[in-house]
Amino acid sequence: MICMSHETLAQFAAGDMDAAEISDVEAHIAQCPECRRRLEAVRKTDAALCLLKRAEPSAQALLATRRLISDEIRIPQPSEIMTLDDVAEFLRIGPAGMEEIAEELPAFELAGEIRIRRAKLLEWIEHRERQYLRQTIESRTARISRTAFQKGA
Amino acid sequence: MDTISDDELIAMYRTGDADAFEVLFDRHYRSAYSFALYMVSDRGRAEDILQETFLAVARTAKRYEPKGCFRTWLMRIVRNRCLNCLESERVRREAMAGAAAVAADFANTDPPPDQCAEARELSDQLSRCIADLPDRQREAIVLFAFEKMSYQQIANTLDLPLNTVKTLIHRARGGLAQALENDGETTA
């Protein structure tokens, strides 16, 4: 009698066979003590596999990984209240430019300091965008009218 | 947050909820690390791979398609990083030598009191035998035993046909049973 391989017995133990194959294995192991022992070894291995635990990284590595991930995922949120320096940096303009727009900025005073709310600053930028667009359209219209007048003349 | 699915957590992270990502990390870091450790057999490298993997997940979360397969996606990233690491022949040689050294990290450290010593010894032996399996069998059995993945999930993770995965797992289980028997005879 030729013994069955551990692989075949593992397949049998997992129930991953068709009915005819299962009958063959059952008939064989009923007569073969060696294969009964092998099957027992497979089942014992399966049980032991279930008891294995996942490994744990060192506490130091885990802490370092958590910090790195936190730096990656927690992007610092910009402050809602801005100083004039924050505004200059945000608008990318120097001291001369800041002096030019200082009076127009939607600022407020707080304990002797000038502050600007980010939301108000964004509204102000949008207002300036609309203003710029209107001026561009007006200047184009004026140019076209001038050209038409010159051609007519 | 424990009841929220991985896909929901990823969706929350995409809308700026960093806490959701940390829950995902807590949920899966042991799986990712264990898989990497069995692949590269070196604690330092496995820790680096763990770090790189979750940074990659954080940076590419937008590319993830929410079909309930986050773990499969995660393990594919871990595996690709392990394979890159093992491409170097020197690393591969060191990994072979280091397999036995890290085997104890997987041992069942909390067996029932009545079978403490025996169970610990068996899981120690088993971990060593897993580390000695051929690469593909080892990958498959680790996902099967630790992650309780289905054959289909393993096939998706390893990019292999379903029947190949079944064969790898049966072969690995049979091989482990045989190796444990041989170990027992040697130590008896």
Side-chain angles (χ1 to χ4, degrees):
Chain A
M1 190 164 29
I2 299 168
C3 279
M4 295 190 148
S5 70
H6 284 80
E7 182 184 339
T8 305
L9 293 167
Q11 194 181 348
F12 170 77
D16 190 24
M17 282 181 167
D18 60 37
E21 288 172 316
I22 290 173
S23 297
D24 287 349
V25 176
E26 281 173 346
H28 177 84
I29 55 177
Q31 297 174 29
C32 178
E34 172 61 18
C35 282
R36 278 202 298 280
R37 197 185 55 73
R38 286 184 184 184
L39 181 61
E40 189 49 39
V42 167
R43 288 188 170 139
K44 194 175 163 189
T45 305
D46 283 347
L49 277 172
C50 291
L51 292 177
L52 284 179
K53 284 193 164 180
R54 294 187 183 112
E56 183 80 24
S58 68
Q60 199 183 356
L62 190 59
L63 186 67
T65 304
R66 282 187 196 284
R67 279 200 186 131
L68 203 71
I69 289 170
S70 181
D71 289 348
E72 178 70 28
I73 62 178
R74 292 184 192 277
I75 300 156
Q77 295 300 310
S79 169
E80 272 308 298
I81 303 294
M82 303 169 85
T83 64
L84 285 173
D85 286 344
D86 293 337
V87 173
E89 195 185 331
F90 182 69
L91 296 177
R92 295 167 180 250
I93 53 174
M98 278 301 284
E99 207 166 306
E100 203 177 304
I101 61 166
E103 286 184 10
E104 292 178 44
L105 284 173
F108 62 95
E109 193 194 306
L110 191 69
E113 302 273 347
I114 300 295
R115 293 287 181 270
I116 296 103
R117 277 170 53 197
R118 179 174 291 273
K120 285 284 174 195
L121 181 66
L122 293 174
E123 278 175 25
W124 178 76
I125 292 171
E126 279 172 19
H127 171 72
R128 285 189 67 106
E129 282 170 348
R130 283 195 298 274
Q131 210 172 26
Y132 178 74
L133 186 65
R134 204 166 42 242
Q135 280 170 359
T136 312
I137 292 169
E138 280 171 5
S139 101
R140 261 192 211 157
T141 312
R143 203 166 51 236
I144 291 166
S145 307
R146 222 172 19 247
T147 313
F149 176 75
Q150 282 166 357
K151 276 185 183 166
Chain B
M1 287 243 198
D2 284 355
T3 53
I4 302 175
S5 73
D6 292 343
D7 281 3
E8 285 169 320
L9 287 170
I10 279 277
M12 288 160 71
Y13 168 62
R14 280 177 180 172
T15 60
D17 186 345
D19 291 346
F21 192 88
E22 288 179 346
V23 173
L24 268 179
F25 176 79
D26 285 341
R27 201 176 273 183
H28 295 290
Y29 80 85
R30 285 186 193 87
S31 300
Y33 175 71
S34 299
F35 188 41
L37 188 57
Y38 257 125
M39 289 279 285
V40 298
S41 299
D42 179 278
R43 292 185 192 96
R45 286 198 184 98
E47 285 165 356
D48 288 347
I49 289 168
L50 172 71
Q51 206 167 77
E52 288 167 17
T53 297
F54 276 93
L55 281 178
V57 170
R59 286 170 188 161
T60 58
K62 281 183 185 159
R63 279 190 236 151
Y64 171 70
E65 288 179 36
K67 292 180 184 165
C69 308
F70 176 77
R71 208 159 46 122
T72 304
W73 184 61
L74 175 73
M75 290 311 204
R76 283 170 71 105
I77 297 175
V78 176
R79 180 172 183 257
N80 286 338
R81 290 188 180 261
C82 290
L83 293 178
N84 288 344
C85 176
L86 289 171
E87 254 175 30
S88 144
E89 193 52 36
R90 183 181 58 81
V91 171
R92 181 173 283 274
R93 274 202 305 274
E94 284 174 14
M96 298 292 280
V102 299
D105 289 17
F106 299 95
N108 174 18
T109 51
D110 193 21
D114 57 328
Q115 38 179 285
C116 225
E118 195 191 341
R120 194 164 294 156
E121 195 186 339
L122 178 62
S123 46
D124 255 8
Q125 271 180 320
L126 186 57
S127 300
R128 276 196 304 275
C129 295
I130 293 175
D132 286 339
L133 285 172
D135 289 353
R136 291 214 302 180
Q137 285 183 38
R138 192 171 66 239
E139 287 176 340
I141 200 72
V142 167
L143 295 176
F144 180 78
F146 287 89
E147 299 309 317
K148 315 287 182 226
M149 278 189 176
S150 67
Y151 294 137
Q152 188 59 59
Q153 286 173 321
I154 297 171
N156 293 343
T157 305
L158 303 182
D159 257 338
L160 290 172
L162 185 62
N163 282 333
T164 306
V165 167
K166 286 183 182 179
T167 305
L168 284 173
I169 288 171
H170 298 325
R171 196 163 288 166
R173 287 168 48 239
L176 290 171
Q178 199 170 2
L180 285 176
E181 280 185 309
N182 294 344
D183 248 20
E185 281 164 19
T186 318
T187 51

